[in-house]
Amino acid sequence: MNHHFGNISSDSDQWVAPARLYVGHWRHPMHAHGEPVLCQVVIDAAEPRLVAAQVAEHGVAREADRRMLHTLDKVLRAQDVYDQPSAWGFTPCTVLPAWVRPTFSESQIEELQRIQGYLIEAPEHKVDTVLEVRDAFLQGIGVTDRHMCRAVREGGRYLPKNGRSTVN
């Protein structure tokens, strides 16, 4: 197994880029003719994709649903936010904020599955090495131990039933 800790975590020919995470705010209407509401957004400019969003409506923050994520992603693409996030007031971050329930791109899911396969097949003396590779990969995409603990607590809610959790 070829493991580089710069987020190339397997012998795959497909390199999975480290995340370039940005957090910011975006005003977006929840309904076709409604007033825009404030959304807190995390994007990955490397993929480019919307990682997570919260909607602040009536003073209460709640996680954006799949439909809202899809709509926000389209709007952010149309406005070229992924190309110039700082110009839109987004701030770089190295880890996902604590409120985020992360989504994963197809390439990230494939890489996590590949690492899981190595973990399953690894002889006992290599397990720690594979775990280091997995941890380095997760760190490279901004996922913290807090996110992993939340995933374990929430079980199947973290990923949809088909095992994918992507926006685009």
Side-chain angles (χ1 to χ4, degrees):
M1 175 169 69
N2 175 15
H3 60 276
H4 304 287
F5 294 104
N7 211 28
I8 302 172
S9 58
S10 73
D11 56 6
S12 170
D13 290 337
Q14 297 295 324
W15 186 72
V16 178
R20 286 187 322 149
L21 301 172
Y22 288 82
V23 64
H25 293 93
W26 194 263
R27 290 201 167 278
H28 187 74
M30 290 292 292
H31 311 287
H33 302 291
E35 289 293 315
V37 296
L38 186 63
C39 301
Q40 186 167 297
V41 176
V42 177
I43 65 168
D44 180 354
E47 282 286 337
R49 67 187 191 88
L50 176 62
V51 176
Q54 272 188 341
V55 179
E57 198 171 26
H58 308 294
V60 177
R62 65 177 170 76
E63 188 176 323
D65 63 21
R66 183 176 293 283
R67 181 183 57 77
M68 181 67 169
L69 288 172
H70 181 73
T71 302
L72 268 172
D73 182 59
K74 285 174 40 177
V75 169
L76 295 173
R77 283 180 193 288
Q79 297 291 329
D80 295 325
V81 173
Y82 296 114
D83 295 330
Q84 298 180 6
S86 296
W88 288 93
F90 283 66
T91 306
C93 58
T94 57
V95 298
L96 295 171
W99 60 265
V100 169
R101 175 182 292 141
T103 59
F104 302 94
S105 69
E106 287 292 324
S107 62
Q108 291 170 340
I109 290 169
E110 289 169 6
E111 189 64 8
L112 287 167
Q113 289 171 337
R114 191 175 2 269
I115 293 168
Q116 183 64 26
Y118 285 130
L119 191 57
I120 291 168
E121 295 175 10
E124 192 171 327
H125 70 283
K126 294 283 186 177
V127 168
D128 286 342
T129 301
V130 177
L131 290 173
E132 286 177 27
V133 168
R134 184 204 57 198
D135 291 348
F137 177 76
L138 289 172
Q139 182 180 15
I141 61 173
V143 176
T144 65
D145 290 340
R146 174 181 268 177
H147 296 107
M148 295 308 291
C149 288
R150 182 178 179 191
V152 170
R153 279 196 319 272
E154 295 181 3
R157 280 191 53 214
Y158 220 71
L159 290 174
K161 296 212 183 306
N162 67 358
R164 300 293 196 249
S165 184
T166 60
V167 175
N168 34 356

